[in-house]
Amino acid sequence: MTGTSSTSSTGSSAAAPSQSGPPSASPPGSGRAADATRRAPRLRTPRRRTLGRPGRSVLLTVLTGLVLLYTVIPLAWLVISATKTQEGLADSSGLWFGDDFALWDNISQTFTYDDGIFLRWLLNTLLYVVLGAGGATFLAILGGYALAKFDFPGKRAVFAVVIGAVAVPGTALAVPTFLMFSKMGLTDSPWAVIIPSLVSPFGLYLMWVFATEAIPVELLEAARIDGAGEARTFFRVALPLLAPGIVTVLLFTTVATWNNYFLPLIMLKDPDWYPLTLGLSSWNSQAETIGGDVIFNLVITGSLLTIVPLIGAFLLLQKYWQSGLAAGSVKE
Amino acid sequence: MTTLRPPVAVRRSPAPSPPRRSRRSWTGWGFIGPFAVVFALVFLAPILYSIHLSLFRDQLIGGTTFVGLDNYQQALNDDQFWASLGRVSLFLAVQVPIMLGIALLIALALDSGRLYGRDFFRIAIFLPYAVPAVVATLMWGFMYGTRFGLVGDINEAFGITLPDPLSTDLVLASIGNIVTWEFVGYNMLILYAALRVVPHSLYEAAEIDGAGQLRVITAIKLPAIRGALVIATIFSVIGSFQLFNEPNILRQLARNAITTDYTPNFYTYSLSFNGQQHNYSAAVAIIMGLITMVIAYVVQLRGMRREA
């Protein structure tokens, strides 16, 4: 793994200065990548036509549509099912609405069931995301910037270890982490979920590739010559240029933390500290226990409520994270 | 003021800057330090602790004793471990090619510029990535169910009896379907992002040379995104070997079909948290980690060799 990474790193650092010449005139670094993709089609279209390139294809659209159905039908099923009562779920077809439209009732029941524990889980999840994903993104920005723009003793070792760590399976870590944390008295507390979430090797990698490209070395040199300290240079010069990369990393660490299940499952016993994922799974397994309250309608409505914020964030921020991801893929 | 200065500095910098850039300093540690500290705490320390644990054994009499590599030897002769490894290997061999194949086809279709509503397709196919594995599994679990699921609906509508997706024979395929659903869009996006940055001059040159669409794909696009494909494959291999969430949730519906040693990850979890065999569990986890790393490394080497 170290092989590719180091070769790609030299490749990118060699390419960066030559690329960063002309576009540095365009103010926010948001993206040379975005600019390039926006510009490119305009240049290409006339030539394509002269070369007789085939136009849009109905057949290809239909075939892609099949995959679209595959990804969207389960989501449609979830939305439709969230409008049904427990009885309606059993009575009616999965892909069409029942006689009863119980969505609002389901939502209010989801939030009030068991003294409003769902709201507590939602707030817990938000806490884990703000501290865990926020912290992971901040550490990845600092680390990625260091890998991209500084030469320091031990740099290669840091890089090799971090990339190697991506391949270490979660279980190899989860059990010893649990035992360690339990000796430190951290298990069954929010810290047991937040602290391991703070490290995102993938986020660091993405940020490193992005920073290599988005920050011209000359700009940093200029800031230093002007007498700015390292911290000031970072916050005033580098950070604004990294914005699209930051949105991308933040979104991916947020998904990782919001969707986290294995770690909380191991670390937490007290349902009061559960995130949404663990809470929903406990509601679902409730039906299995003898005499347990069967609340499939709440499991389904709760599931819908769990995915809505993330899907909303992805849709709202798509311009930013897609340009960040495109820049990240350049050097792969 | 400040806006005027940088260009001047840039022009002057070539002479002093090369030595400055190559000069090593500890400044970088100020930035990577915080990451390194937390990384050491949540990655390195547990790995070392895990190795330490794997060398001991808790005896009913005599407490914890050093047993050397006994735990490893036991793991290598453990049928349950090998069965779980075989299961995820089968999963890997079938699910990963299907998932990456679909992802690649969609990425190529998006990139071809021949789709109506390309942006809509891209975002809609990506959406399942935002769905937690728990929710995805609960959802599919309900749909698989004959009670109020889609399978039940289909059976009723057509008067047929489809095989039960949660039966012992089919449950692995059912898990594969869930994982494919979750990650096909994510992989599509990674590959599509890589395709977007292929220089378009290459396509124009190929077209002038009379190359067809298929030839452009095999001769230009696929080689150009080989790096991204290798990365996607490695992540998928790691993901398959770590399989836990989906079988663990689905077990609530298919208790007989999914045992607590269904995947290696599930097995180590059960050993630790149901069996209190922390030491043996650590050894199994380390063997699994080594196997994963070796395979990830082989995938990468093969990917690289073809590139060269």
Side-chain angles (χ1 to χ4, degrees):
Chain A
M1 301 208 101
T2 334
T4 24
S5 342
S6 55
T7 46
S8 64
S9 85
T10 49
S12 59
S13 55
S18 61
Q19 285 178 357
S20 59
S24 61
S26 66
S30 60
R32 205 162 305 131
D35 279 354
T37 50
R38 240 173 269 144
R39 227 177 279 145
R42 264 177 236 154
L43 289 172
R44 267 185 292 129
T45 10
R47 280 194 210 168
R48 269 187 187 176
R49 278 184 199 140
T50 56
L51 284 164
R53 191 186 166 97
R56 303 202 166 180
S57 158
V58 174
L59 180 69
L60 200 61
T61 308
V62 169
L63 290 176
T64 312
L66 291 178
V67 179
L68 178 83
L69 284 180
Y70 171 63
T71 55
V72 169
I73 281 180
L75 295 173
W77 178 91
L78 187 68
V79 173
I80 291 167
S81 298
T83 68
K84 295 175 184 173
T85 58
Q86 182 74 31
E87 298 75 38
L89 279 170
D91 293 343
S92 58
S93 156
L95 281 179
W96 199 240
F97 296 94
D99 302 330
D100 46 347
F101 187 84
L103 178 63
W104 312 121
D105 190 42
N106 278 339
I107 291 176
S108 81
Q109 268 193 59
T110 305
F111 278 107
T112 51
Y113 184 79
D114 196 11
D115 295 330
I117 189 94
F118 188 84
L119 182 64
R120 170 88 199 214
W121 293 337
L122 177 64
L123 295 174
N124 289 342
T125 306
L126 287 173
L127 175 77
Y128 301 153
V129 164
V130 169
L131 293 182
T137 306
F138 186 64
L139 294 182
I141 296 167
L142 289 177
Y145 174 68
L147 285 172
K149 297 297 165 196
F150 292 95
D151 192 14
F152 51 87
K155 177 173 167 172
R156 276 171 175 275
V158 166
F159 191 72
V161 168
V162 169
I163 289 298
V166 178
V168 176
T171 15
L173 288 174
V175 172
T177 310
F178 167 79
L179 295 173
M180 258 177 54
F181 276 29
S182 111
K183 278 191 182 160
M184 296 156 86
L186 290 172
T187 45
D188 217 12
S189 84
W191 296 112
V193 177
I194 293 167
I195 294 172
S197 304
L198 286 175
V199 167
S200 165
F202 179 63
L204 181 82
Y205 168 78
L206 215 59
M207 215 55 233
W208 167 65
V209 178
F210 193 85
T212 304
E213 249 195 82
I215 309 173
V217 183
E218 290 80 0
L219 215 56
L220 297 179
E221 300 284 332
R224 283 174 197 140
I225 288 166
D226 280 0
E230 287 301 336
R232 196 180 153 85
T233 307
F234 171 73
F235 284 106
R236 287 295 180 81
V237 180
L239 211 53
L241 294 172
L242 292 175
I246 292 172
V247 173
T248 313
V249 174
L250 190 62
L251 221 53
F252 281 92
T253 53
T254 299
V255 170
T257 316
W258 189 280
N259 296 356
N260 202 348
Y261 170 73
F262 190 50
L263 186 70
L265 175 73
I266 284 179
M267 296 291 183
L268 304 174
K269 290 273 169 292
D270 183 357
D272 277 352
W273 286 118
Y274 280 5
L276 287 167
T277 49
L278 207 48
L280 285 173
S281 141
S282 74
W283 271 3
N284 186 55
S285 58
Q286 207 171 288
E288 297 288 311
T289 49
I290 297 156
D293 198 2
V294 179
I295 43 166
F296 287 134
N297 59 329
L298 301 192
V299 174
I300 288 168
T301 309
S303 296
L304 181 64
L305 294 171
T306 299
I307 66 174
V308 164
L310 275 191
I311 289 186
F314 266 105
L315 292 178
L316 281 176
L317 298 171
Q318 55 170 317
K319 270 197 180 141
Y320 302 95
W321 60 261
Q322 286 189 0
S323 70
L325 200 65
S329 73
V330 177
K331 305 304 173 198
E332 268 181 359
Chain B
M1 288 282 288
T2 37
T3 46
L4 282 174
R5 273 186 187 174
V8 181
V10 169
R11 244 158 256 150
R12 273 183 204 162
S13 62
S17 81
R20 185 187 285 258
R21 221 176 292 166
S22 62
R23 195 178 63 203
R24 297 193 139 204
S25 84
W26 291 89
T27 323
W29 274 105
F31 288 96
I32 203 156
F35 181 93
V37 168
V38 186
F39 183 83
L41 179 70
V42 302
F43 266 91
L44 299 185
I47 290 174
L48 293 176
Y49 188 48
S50 195
I51 294 170
H52 169 83
L53 279 176
S54 71
L55 301 174
F56 289 84
R57 189 174 289 166
D58 257 334
Q59 249 96 6
L60 282 175
I61 309 151
T64 311
T65 47
F66 181 80
V67 293
L69 296 176
D70 279 10
N71 286 323
Y72 290 90
Q73 203 175 3
Q74 186 188 341
L76 294 177
N77 292 312
D78 185 339
D79 290 340
Q80 276 175 290
F81 169 64
W82 288 114
S84 68
L85 184 61
R87 215 169 276 123
V88 288
S89 303
L90 175 67
F91 182 89
L92 174 73
V94 177
Q95 187 267 337
V96 171
I98 291 177
M99 173 181 69
L100 292 182
I102 298 174
L104 180 62
L105 288 177
I106 301 299
L108 287 169
L110 290 176
D111 189 61
S112 73
R114 301 184 64 199
L115 285 183
Y116 293 94
R118 184 194 62 196
D119 292 349
F120 171 72
F121 275 117
R122 186 184 53 200
I123 191 75
I125 293 175
F126 177 68
L127 279 186
Y129 178 69
V131 176
V134 171
V135 171
T137 312
L138 288 173
M139 240 163 60
W140 278 102
F142 281 126
M143 287 191 289
Y144 287 149
T146 39
R147 259 183 305 181
F148 36 83
L150 287 183
V151 174
D153 283 350
I154 294 169
N155 284 346
E156 209 171 301
F158 298 100
I160 51 171
T161 311
L162 290 174
D164 179 7
L166 296 174
S167 65
T168 314
D169 292 339
L170 283 181
V171 78
L172 191 63
S174 301
I175 295 171
N177 175 52
I178 299 175
V179 176
T180 305
W181 183 81
E182 287 176 284
F183 291 104
V184 76
Y186 172 77
N187 286 301
M188 173 271 292
L189 204 70
I190 299 286
L191 299 177
Y192 176 70
L195 278 171
R196 293 299 289 167
V197 296
V198 176
H200 285 275
S201 52
L202 289 178
Y203 301 153
E204 280 149 23
E207 277 180 60
I208 290 166
D209 287 351
Q213 291 273 306
L214 205 65
R215 185 99 181 91
V216 169
I217 288 172
T218 53
I220 299 175
K221 295 192 178 187
L222 291 184
I225 61 167
R226 180 157 286 152
L229 267 171
V230 168
I231 296 228
T233 310
I234 290 176
F235 278 121
S236 303
V237 168
I238 295 170
S240 302
F241 278 159
Q242 292 198 29
L243 205 59
F244 176 84
N245 294 356
E246 292 82 4
N248 185 47
I249 303 280
L250 215 54
R251 188 173 141 74
Q252 293 169 0
L253 296 168
R255 204 155 282 274
N256 296 324
I258 299 172
T259 50
T260 54
D261 58 357
Y262 201 71
T263 69
N265 208 345
F266 210 149
Y267 186 42
T268 51
Y269 170 80
S270 314
L271 283 173
S272 265
F273 292 94
N274 302 331
Q276 298 298 316
Q277 300 186 57
H278 298 304
N279 304 87
Y280 182 51
S281 163
V284 173
I286 288 168
I287 292 177
M288 211 43 224
L290 289 175
I291 293 176
T292 309
M293 287 204 276
V294 166
I295 292 186
Y297 189 66
V298 168
V299 169
Q300 209 223 349
L301 272 189
R302 287 201 56 183
M304 295 307 294
R305 198 191 298 151
R306 271 189 227 147
E307 198 170 9

